[in-house]
Amino acid sequence: MSTASKLPRISVVIPAYNCDRYVAQAVESVLHQTYSSVEIIVIDDGSQDNTRQVLQPYSAQIRYVYQDNQGVSVARNHGINLARGEFVAFLDADDLYIPDKLAVQLAVFEANPKLGIVHSGWRRINQQGETLMDVQPWETVPELNLESWLRWKPLGTMGTLMFRRNWLEEVGGFEPGLTHAEDVDLILRLALKGCEAEWLRQSTVCYRQHDQNTMRDGISQAISINWVL
């Protein structure tokens, strides 16, 4: 068997910062995917809790890399640089993949080789993992193009997206200085370059709502989005 055939098809990048309470569940949700040609890259962004110890039992199944704290954008970029898969998906350390996430998004890519992004809905869960609701943004934003990305910004968590890795490399990944709206910035730069996107009209990730979510800081989020625009 050639070395190329052993490469994973999909790289899943999990940035983690002081998330020892949830990160093992995140990893487990990738390990239990229905699609198996996957590598898991965890970038520990200078955690000061027990993240490293919690992940130790998975040392044979994941690639764990520790870096000094530099923010989520730098952590994700580190993961992109290490990724070997044709496709890259992200998962925040406090979220969970739904079991068929990777398989169904990959199928959309295979049906349309021109796509650079496949986006999806998400399921909001509480701290205990109980379902609150499913979010279906395609109901109000049926087409994904530069105008709709710019006007509506239909993004919830990075876990809803899957990318062709070469597109991420072409735009240089995430803007390192952004701690909020880095997803909006990335998507707009991709769209400006002509990267085509399509909906998968189902939830693929569980977005956990808890008291430490960065999304709860609405003022900083709004300031960052204005800066990006």
Side-chain angles (χ1 to χ4, degrees), residues 43-47 64-72 74-76 78-79:
I43 306 296
D44 185 345
D45 188 37
S47 295
Y64 171 87
V65 179
Y66 181 90
Q67 67 176 34
D68 292 337
N69 180 247
Q70 298 169 74
V72 68
V74 174
R76 289 187 184 129
H78 196 165

Side-chain angles (χ1 to χ4, degrees), residues 204-225:
T204 65
V205 65
C206 296
Y207 170 67
R208 194 189 304 268
Q209 296 188 190
H210 56 86
D211 54 5
Q212 294 178 326
N213 284 130
T214 58
M215 284 292 287
R216 289 186 178 274
D217 187 355
I219 294 175
S220 295
Q221 185 82 359
I223 291 171
S224 294
I225 287 176

